[in-house]
């Protein structure tokens, strides 16, 4: 579901997916200087991560990904944010990502499905 | 003499949440999941944009002042055992604090944990107070508030 108001400056898209018996609600919002993705199974934001592409001199891009709120001991969450910012930065290099993952299950299958669904429904 | 700022603050404090007559369990049984509401308010040459995303147990709010920039991110929640409200800056805004007061008072009025992103410029308490008042009215209209707001200690 896309945002209905064409005059509202922030576009958003809301959808859900089923994975391993859990319903994941996903909201993607595109602000002027950030992309926000909220993926929740628990009805709360869970862990919030921030990811951005670093300005660098080398040919290969480097990214800075960190947990800014919540669980800091789940490397799969950081990998998810890394995967998404990689994709975002190839389209809009200057927009960092704020990713909120409130999940019951942190398995790689679930996270891969979430990444695929977000990319499929992307707003960048 | 009362300044306009004081008047707005008084009226914010007087925005009361009416007792919910119907069964408040209806809100908890809502199976629709995440709800997104967006609206714009214009006054005095200022455009304030609001985005409210209601998750089942928390509310995410974005306040935009004349632009669609994300702004500073704060998280606020009531903390046991005494129900005082704590707020923390999550992204940006560490020396700025514009918006942290709004997040705190939203939790006090609404009784739900709040994640607030706000790009209101600093040193503008009147604007903050007006934005807060509009937001609280909208939260009440949407039915996202709890029947008994938390008391400030």
């Amino acid at each position: 579901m896309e945002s209905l108001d064409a005059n509202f400056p922030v576009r958003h898209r809301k959808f859900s997916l089923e994975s391993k018996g859990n319903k994941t609600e996903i909201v993607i919002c595109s602000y002027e200087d950030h992309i926000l993705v909220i993926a929740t199974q628990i009805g709360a934001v869970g862990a919030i991560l921030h990811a951005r592409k670093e300005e660098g001199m080398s040919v290969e891009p480097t990214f800075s990904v960190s947990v800014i709120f919540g669980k800091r001991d789940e490397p799969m969450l950081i990998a998810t944010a890394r995967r998404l910012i990689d994709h975002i930065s190839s389209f809009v290099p200057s927009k960092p990502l704020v990713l909120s993952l409130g999940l019951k299950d942190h398995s790689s299958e679930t996270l891969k499905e979430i990444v695929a669904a977000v990319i499929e429904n992307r707003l960048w | 003499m009362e300044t306009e700022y004081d008047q707005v603050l008084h009226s914010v404090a007087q925005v009361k949440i009416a007792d919910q007559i119907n069964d408040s369990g209806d809100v908890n049984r809502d199976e629709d999941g995440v709800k997104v509401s967006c609206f714009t308010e214009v006054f005095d040459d200022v455009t304030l944009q609001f985005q409210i995303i209601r998750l089942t147990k928390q509310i995410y709010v974005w306040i935009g002042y004349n632009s669609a920039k994300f702004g500073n991110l704060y998280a606020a929640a009531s903390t046991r055992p005494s129900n005082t409200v704590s707020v923390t800056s999550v992204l940006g805004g560490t020396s700025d604090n514009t918006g942290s007061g709004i997040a705190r008072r939203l939790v006090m009025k609404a009784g739900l944990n709040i994640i607030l992103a706000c790009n209101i410029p600093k040193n503008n308490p009147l604007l903050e107070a007006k934005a807060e008042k509009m937001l609280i009215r909208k939260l009440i209209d949407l039915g996202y508030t709890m029947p008994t707001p938390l008391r400030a200690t």
Side-chain angles (χ1 to χ4, degrees), chain A residues 12-29:
Chain A
H12 77 268
R13 194 169 278 169
K14 178 176 86 93
F15 56 96
S16 62
L17 66 103
E18 280 278 340
S19 166
K20 291 190 169 181
N22 292 319
K23 180 179 178 195
T24 312
E25 307 255 15
I26 300 181
V27 182
I28 306 176
C29 300

Side-chain angles (χ1 to χ4, degrees), chain B residues 105-117:
Chain B
R105 286 185 291 274
L106 280 182
V107 175
M108 286 200 284
K109 292 264 185 202
L112 283 172
N113 295 352
I114 296 278
I115 312 287
L116 169 74

Side-chain angles (χ1 to χ4, degrees), chain B residues 115-133:
Chain B
I115 312 287
L116 169 74
C118 161
N119 72 358
I120 294 178
K122 54 185 175 181
N123 298 329
N124 211 330
L126 199 57
L127 188 56
E128 274 186 71
K130 283 190 173 158
E132 183 184 326
K133 190 170 158 188

Side-chain angles (χ1 to χ4, degrees), chain A residues 7-10 12 14 23 25 27 29 31-34 36 38 40 42-46 48 50 68-69 98, chain B residues 32-34 36 38-40 49-51 53 55-58 60 62 67-70 73 75 88 90-91 115:
Chain A
N7 291 328
F8 200 75
V10 176
H12 77 268
K14 178 176 86 93
K23 180 179 178 195
E25 307 255 15
V27 182
C29 300
Y31 299 92
E32 187 181 318
D33 58 349
H34 273 85
L36 170 72
I38 301 178
T40 179
I42 59 175
V45 291
I48 305 181
H50 183 254
I68 54 177
F69 187 79
V98 176
Chain B
D32 288 348
V34 172
V36 184
C38 305
F39 63 102
T40 305
Q49 264 118 7
F50 297 88
Q51 191 182 40
I53 301 182
L55 312 174
T56 333
K57 294 188 242 171
Q58 290 173 353
Y60 163 85
W62 171 74
S67 84
K69 289 191 154 57
F70 191 61
L73 188 64
T88 180
V90 175
L91 194 58
I115 312 287

Side-chain angles (χ1 to χ4, degrees), chain B residues 2-145:
Chain B
E2 215 178 47
T3 64
E4 190 185 338
Y5 173 63
D6 291 331
Q7 286 173 353
V8 176
L9 271 192
H10 280 151
S11 61
V12 169
Q14 277 160 19
V15 174
K16 289 205 191 314
I17 298 166
D19 290 334
Q20 291 189 357
I21 301 168
N22 55 332
D23 180 16
S24 64
D26 285 344
V27 175
N28 295 331
R29 284 201 299 272
D30 186 5
E31 293 296 335
D32 288 348
V34 172
K35 279 203 165 77
V36 184
S37 318
C38 305
F39 63 102
T40 305
E41 300 273 354
V42 183
F43 63 92
D44 293 345
D45 292 338
V46 163
T47 307
L48 281 178
Q49 264 118 7
F50 297 88
Q51 191 182 40
I52 302 176
I53 301 182
R54 196 214 69 177
L55 312 174
T56 333
K57 294 188 242 171
Q58 290 173 353
I59 296 181
Y60 163 85
V61 179
W62 171 74
I63 304 177
Y65 166 78
N66 285 348
S67 84
K69 289 191 154 57
F70 191 61
N72 303 324
L73 188 64
Y74 300 93
S78 58
T79 32
R80 288 191 286 258
S82 56
N83 266 350
T84 36
V85 177
S86 305
V87 61
T88 180
S89 158
V90 175
L91 194 58
T94 32
S95 58
D96 192 319
N97 278 335
T98 317
S100 65
I102 302 180
R104 258 188 82 245
R105 286 185 291 274
L106 280 182
V107 175
M108 286 200 284
K109 292 264 185 202
L112 283 172
N113 295 352
I114 296 278
I115 312 287
L116 169 74
C118 161
N119 72 358
I120 294 178
K122 54 185 175 181
N123 298 329
N124 211 330
L126 199 57
L127 188 56
E128 274 186 71
K130 283 190 173 158
E132 183 184 326
K133 190 170 158 188
M134 288 173 188
L135 204 42
I136 291 178
R137 281 247 153 82
K138 188 70 175 181
L139 286 174
I140 296 172
D141 287 343
L142 290 168
Y144 294 163
T145 49

Side-chain angles (χ1 to χ4, degrees), chain A residues 91-102:
Chain A
F91 290 84
V92 274
S94 57
K95 276 198 190 180
L97 164 72
V98 176
L99 170 66
S100 138
L101 290 170

Side-chain angles (χ1 to χ4, degrees), chain A residues 40-102:
Chain A
T40 179
Q41 293 173 342
I42 59 175
V45 291
I48 305 181
L49 298 97
H50 183 254
R52 66 171 203 278
K53 182 176 175 183
E54 297 285 342
E55 296 304 318
M57 309 285 269
S58 61
V59 173
E60 293 294 321
T62 48
F63 301 97
S64 157
V65 182
S66 58
V67 180
I68 54 177
F69 187 79
K71 273 172 150 335
R72 278 153 225 270
D73 54 358
E74 292 272 358
M76 289 308 292
L77 302 184
I78 298 187
T80 308
R82 169 72 177 73
R83 176 76 189 88
L84 280 175
I85 189 63
D86 200 337
H87 197 273
I88 293 172
S89 64
S90 55
F91 290 84
V92 274
S94 57
K95 276 198 190 180
L97 164 72
V98 176
L99 170 66
S100 138
L101 290 170

